[in-house]
Amino acid sequence: MVTETAPFTTCGLPSLSSLVFGGHDTVDCPLPKRAEHLADGGVLPHGLPSAVHAELVAADREIRPGGPPPGDTGRTQDQWIDVFAADIRDFVRRQDLAGAVVINVASTEPAPTDGSLPPSSLYAAAALRAGCPYVNFTPSTGLHHPALAPLAASSGLPYAGRDGKTGQTLLRSVLGPMFLQRALAVRAWSGTNLLGGGDGAALADPAAAAAKNAGKERVLADTLGTTPEGEVHIDDVPALGDWKTAWDHIAFDGFLGARMVLQTTWQGCDSSLAAPLVLDLARLTVRARQKGLTGPLSELGFYFKDPVGDGPSSLAEQYTELRHFAGRLRDDATAPEAHR
């Protein structure tokens, strides 16, 4: 966890032991059973699920069925927002919490094709209606829907997103600036992802994959200053489970036009890469709320493919901004009443 490293230990972040978990989920498999599956797949250390069984059961009791159900006509969208907001408020009250942050970690949804709010946007609106900061860790629409812009602007709450940067794009945000700074002209940048689990199944939908790939391509355009040839392909391989492999093939020109190629292979576990970032974002966003910061937290761009607000795309520059942001969160720092 980045927030457990030295630059962040004096920022007044909530302790890990003080965090309480709950939420909405469309999957009805109990958390203890899911943890066992992760241990069987080599994601979690053997014996860890049984060691934290009580904590998993407690969190599982705070998970409500996700919604709205597809094709539901029993409630209007505004009524669904009220239902979700009431659930969030009730969670805070029942657990006697000082505050809460709503983080979207659901599977990627296709971009909306009409004016209606997709599920991610309903939950984003509910978070703000419940008085909670919101973080979109997915490429789904969330607060990016035009209809929610007035609500986001008037909420007086901080928010961040979108699409967590955990693997292939993390590497791209490091390599892109290298090519630019060394004046190595990138001619083409192509990639392939093999992954299983829920994300693999969700991204088998071409519309969902297009929403995911948009962020990957945007990082290259922002760091290189141009969009090279090439595409990213995502293939669902259920046998891989929670593990993924990402290949990149980069064709570039050296001195006097010498043609060269860099190929990279990234093999990792999605949940293991994402979980510490989600915990970081929960702690940082809650602390930002305590310090009176509002609006898009562009300084958290370090964590995202497509960050809200204005900020650099290079990982090194993003980390510098994050360090500065940490300084503003300290008790001896003076925070402005509003932050845009």
Side-chain angles (χ1 to χ4, degrees):
M1 292 179 59
V2 175
T3 53
E4 284 293 286
T5 60
F8 301 87
T9 55
T10 60
C11 296
L13 302 179
S15 66
L16 292 174
S17 61
S18 71
L19 301 183
V20 179
F21 299 91
H24 292 77
D25 202 343
T26 57
V27 177
D28 58 6
C29 180
L31 286 182
K33 181 59 67 177
R34 279 192 263 182
E36 291 174 10
H37 291 326
L38 290 174
D40 291 341
V43 178
L44 297 178
H46 179 72
L48 182 60
S50 60
V52 296
H53 181 79
E55 288 86 351
L56 292 172
V57 170
D60 201 59
R61 284 197 296 263
E62 294 296 343
I63 295 179
R64 304 289 179 264
D72 177 82
T73 57
R75 290 187 174 100
T76 66
Q77 291 197 321
D78 195 65
Q79 287 172 331
W80 274 113
I81 294 171
D82 271 341
V83 168
F84 298 150
D87 247 4
I88 297 167
R89 293 192 196 99
D90 187 54
F91 171 70
V92 173
R93 177 194 57 77
R94 196 170 55 252
Q95 293 288 344
D96 192 25
L97 303 178
V101 56
V102 174
I103 304 181
N104 178 24
V105 291
S107 296
T108 301
E109 66 189 15
T113 56
D114 56 27
S116 64
L117 298 178
S120 66
S121 295
L122 296 178
Y123 277 105
L128 300 188
R129 190 171 292 185
C132 297
Y134 173 78
V135 176
N136 189 0
F137 200 73
T138 81
S140 299
T141 304
L143 277 181
H144 276 67
H145 198 286
L148 298 186
L151 176 62
S154 64
S155 67
L157 293 164
Y159 53 90
R162 73 183 160 168
D163 200 3
K165 187 163 56 187
T166 59
Q168 184 181 47
T169 311
L170 177 68
L171 192 59
R172 288 179 168 208
S173 68
V174 175
L175 292 177
M178 177 197 73
F179 284 107
L180 182 67
Q181 292 159 6
R182 293 298 295 266
L184 299 169
V186 175
R187 292 183 291 108
W189 198 317
S190 302
T192 296
N193 284 261
L194 308 178
L195 69 161
D199 271 354
L203 294 173
D205 177 353
K212 184 77 173 177
N213 286 337
K216 293 177 179 287
E217 294 166 359
R218 191 173 296 111
V219 168
L220 290 183
D222 289 347
T223 56
L224 296 173
T226 184
T227 303
E229 294 180 4
E231 298 178 344
V232 176
H233 299 276
I234 300 177
D235 294 327
D236 178 26
V237 185
L240 292 179
D242 208 49
W243 297 85
K244 67 178 181 181
T245 297
W247 290 302
D248 268 353
H249 184 282
I250 309 158
F252 63 98
D253 291 341
F255 190 52
L256 302 180
R259 294 293 179 93
M260 290 180 266
V261 168
L262 171 65
Q263 297 183 42
T264 66
T265 303
W266 177 285
Q267 292 181 307
C269 169
D270 242 4
S271 57
S272 182
L273 289 164
L277 308 187
V278 172
L279 293 171
D280 280 346
L281 288 163
R283 302 173 84 192
L284 291 164
T285 309
V286 166
R287 181 59 175 163
R289 171 67 166 150
Q290 292 173 343
K291 293 291 290 183
L293 303 183
T294 67
L297 299 178
S298 60
E299 297 94 336
L300 299 185
F302 175 77
Y303 292 99
F304 299 107
K305 296 183 182 72
D306 185 19
V308 297
D310 298 321
S313 298
S314 160
L315 190 71
E317 293 178 290
Q318 289 175 335
Y319 182 67
T320 298
E321 287 214 344
L322 183 65
R323 291 278 302 269
H324 291 158
F325 182 68
R328 298 177 62 204
L329 299 182
R330 295 190 178 96
D331 284 326
D332 58 355
T334 301
E337 290 185 2
H339 167 71
R340 292 285 182 262

Short mmCIF file of all heavy atoms in Angstrom, two decimals, residues 6-7 20-21 48 135 146 165 176 213 223 236 267 280 303 305 307 319 325-326 329:
data_model
loop_
_atom_site.label_atom_id
_atom_site.label_comp_id
_atom_site.label_asym_id
_atom_site.label_seq_id
_atom_site.Cartn_x
_atom_site.Cartn_y
_atom_site.Cartn_z
N ALA A 6 6.53 5.79 3.93
CA ALA A 6 6.94 6.90 4.79
C ALA A 6 6.30 8.25 4.46
O ALA A 6 5.88 8.98 5.37
CB ALA A 6 8.46 7.03 4.77
N PRO A 7 6.18 8.66 3.18
CA PRO A 7 5.65 10.01 2.92
C PRO A 7 4.20 10.21 3.37
O PRO A 7 3.73 11.35 3.43
CB PRO A 7 5.74 10.12 1.39
CG PRO A 7 6.78 9.14 0.99
CD PRO A 7 6.62 8.00 1.94
N VAL A 20 -14.39 -0.12 8.09
CA VAL A 20 -15.51 -1.06 8.10
C VAL A 20 -16.01 -1.18 6.66
O VAL A 20 -16.12 -0.18 5.95
CB VAL A 20 -16.65 -0.55 9.01
CG1 VAL A 20 -17.82 -1.52 8.99
CG2 VAL A 20 -16.14 -0.35 10.43
N PHE A 21 -16.31 -2.41 6.25
CA PHE A 21 -16.64 -2.64 4.84
C PHE A 21 -18.10 -3.10 4.67
O PHE A 21 -18.63 -3.86 5.47
CB PHE A 21 -15.71 -3.71 4.25
CG PHE A 21 -14.27 -3.31 4.29
CD1 PHE A 21 -13.47 -3.66 5.38
CD2 PHE A 21 -13.69 -2.57 3.28
CE1 PHE A 21 -12.14 -3.30 5.45
CE2 PHE A 21 -12.37 -2.19 3.33
CZ PHE A 21 -11.59 -2.55 4.42
N LEU A 48 -4.86 -17.76 5.31
CA LEU A 48 -5.34 -16.41 5.62
C LEU A 48 -6.86 -16.33 5.70
O LEU A 48 -7.39 -15.68 6.62
CB LEU A 48 -4.80 -15.41 4.59
CG LEU A 48 -5.19 -13.95 4.82
CD1 LEU A 48 -4.69 -13.45 6.17
CD2 LEU A 48 -4.66 -13.07 3.70
N VAL A 135 -15.53 7.48 -5.51
CA VAL A 135 -14.36 7.10 -6.30
C VAL A 135 -14.80 6.07 -7.34
O VAL A 135 -15.41 5.05 -6.99
CB VAL A 135 -13.24 6.51 -5.42
CG1 VAL A 135 -12.07 6.03 -6.30
CG2 VAL A 135 -12.76 7.52 -4.39
N PRO A 146 -23.21 13.46 -18.22
CA PRO A 146 -23.49 14.91 -18.24
C PRO A 146 -24.61 15.31 -17.29
O PRO A 146 -24.59 16.43 -16.74
CB PRO A 146 -23.88 15.17 -19.71
CG PRO A 146 -23.31 14.03 -20.48
CD PRO A 146 -23.25 12.86 -19.57
N LYS A 165 -5.40 2.06 -12.40
CA LYS A 165 -4.23 1.77 -13.24
C LYS A 165 -3.40 0.72 -12.53
O LYS A 165 -2.62 1.03 -11.63
CB LYS A 165 -3.45 3.07 -13.44
CG LYS A 165 -2.30 2.99 -14.41
CD LYS A 165 -1.88 4.39 -14.84
CE LYS A 165 -1.53 5.27 -13.66
NZ LYS A 165 -1.27 6.67 -14.04
N GLY A 176 5.96 5.39 -21.78
CA GLY A 176 5.63 6.47 -22.72
C GLY A 176 6.53 7.69 -22.53
O GLY A 176 7.14 8.17 -23.49
N ASN A 213 -10.64 -0.04 -23.17
CA ASN A 213 -9.48 0.29 -24.00
C ASN A 213 -9.31 1.78 -24.22
O ASN A 213 -8.20 2.25 -24.49
CB ASN A 213 -9.60 -0.41 -25.36
CG ASN A 213 -9.33 -1.90 -25.26
OD1 ASN A 213 -8.67 -2.35 -24.33
ND2 ASN A 213 -9.86 -2.66 -26.21
N THR A 223 0.87 10.88 -22.94
CA THR A 223 2.29 10.86 -22.61
C THR A 223 3.18 11.05 -23.83
O THR A 223 4.26 11.64 -23.73
CB THR A 223 2.67 9.53 -21.93
OG1 THR A 223 2.31 8.42 -22.77
CG2 THR A 223 1.99 9.39 -20.58
N ASP A 236 -11.04 -13.21 -23.27
CA ASP A 236 -11.51 -13.89 -22.07
C ASP A 236 -11.01 -15.33 -22.07
O ASP A 236 -11.31 -16.10 -22.99
CB ASP A 236 -13.04 -13.86 -22.03
CG ASP A 236 -13.60 -14.60 -20.83
OD1 ASP A 236 -12.89 -14.70 -19.80
OD2 ASP A 236 -14.76 -15.06 -20.91
N GLN A 267 2.61 -10.20 -16.17
CA GLN A 267 1.76 -11.26 -15.62
C GLN A 267 1.48 -10.93 -14.16
O GLN A 267 2.40 -10.74 -13.36
CB GLN A 267 2.45 -12.62 -15.73
CG GLN A 267 2.59 -13.10 -17.17
CD GLN A 267 3.26 -14.45 -17.27
OE1 GLN A 267 4.33 -14.66 -16.73
NE2 GLN A 267 2.61 -15.38 -17.96
N ASP A 280 -5.97 2.52 -0.42
CA ASP A 280 -5.32 3.83 -0.46
C ASP A 280 -6.35 4.93 -0.76
O ASP A 280 -6.40 5.97 -0.09
CB ASP A 280 -4.25 3.87 -1.56
CG ASP A 280 -2.94 3.21 -1.16
OD1 ASP A 280 -2.74 2.95 0.04
OD2 ASP A 280 -2.13 2.95 -2.05
N TYR A 303 -3.35 7.01 -9.53
CA TYR A 303 -4.04 5.72 -9.42
C TYR A 303 -4.90 5.36 -10.63
O TYR A 303 -5.43 4.26 -10.69
CB TYR A 303 -4.95 5.74 -8.18
CG TYR A 303 -4.20 5.77 -6.87
CD1 TYR A 303 -4.02 6.96 -6.18
CD2 TYR A 303 -3.68 4.60 -6.32
CE1 TYR A 303 -3.34 6.99 -4.97
CE2 TYR A 303 -3.00 4.62 -5.12
CZ TYR A 303 -2.83 5.81 -4.45
OH TYR A 303 -2.15 5.84 -3.25
N LYS A 305 -6.23 5.48 -14.97
CA LYS A 305 -5.95 5.61 -16.40
C LYS A 305 -6.51 6.91 -16.96
O LYS A 305 -5.94 7.52 -17.85
CB LYS A 305 -6.59 4.44 -17.17
CG LYS A 305 -6.07 3.05 -16.85
CD LYS A 305 -6.76 2.03 -17.75
CE LYS A 305 -6.32 0.60 -17.46
NZ LYS A 305 -6.87 0.10 -16.18
N PRO A 307 -7.81 10.08 -15.25
CA PRO A 307 -8.10 10.85 -14.04
C PRO A 307 -9.04 12.03 -14.29
O PRO A 307 -9.04 12.63 -15.36
CB PRO A 307 -6.72 11.35 -13.61
CG PRO A 307 -5.73 10.54 -14.37
CD PRO A 307 -6.40 10.16 -15.64
N TYR A 319 3.19 10.87 -9.24
CA TYR A 319 3.62 10.54 -7.88
C TYR A 319 4.07 11.80 -7.13
O TYR A 319 3.80 11.96 -5.94
CB TYR A 319 4.75 9.51 -7.91
CG TYR A 319 5.20 9.10 -6.52
CD1 TYR A 319 4.36 8.37 -5.68
CD2 TYR A 319 6.47 9.44 -6.05
CE1 TYR A 319 4.77 8.00 -4.41
CE2 TYR A 319 6.89 9.07 -4.78
CZ TYR A 319 6.03 8.34 -3.97
OH TYR A 319 6.43 7.98 -2.71
N PHE A 325 0.06 16.39 -2.43
CA PHE A 325 -1.29 16.25 -1.89
C PHE A 325 -1.23 15.71 -0.46
O PHE A 325 -1.97 16.19 0.42
CB PHE A 325 -2.08 15.29 -2.78
CG PHE A 325 -3.50 15.07 -2.36
CD1 PHE A 325 -4.43 16.10 -2.44
CD2 PHE A 325 -3.93 13.84 -1.89
CE1 PHE A 325 -5.76 15.89 -2.07
CE2 PHE A 325 -5.24 13.63 -1.52
CZ PHE A 325 -6.16 14.66 -1.62
N ALA A 326 -0.34 14.77 -0.21
CA ALA A 326 -0.19 14.22 1.14
C ALA A 326 0.18 15.32 2.12
O ALA A 326 -0.29 15.34 3.27
CB ALA A 326 0.87 13.13 1.14
N LEU A 329 -2.72 17.20 3.42
CA LEU A 329 -3.62 16.46 4.31
C LEU A 329 -3.16 16.45 5.76
O LEU A 329 -3.90 16.02 6.64
CB LEU A 329 -3.77 15.01 3.82
CG LEU A 329 -4.36 14.82 2.41
CD1 LEU A 329 -4.47 13.33 2.10
CD2 LEU A 329 -5.72 15.50 2.29
#
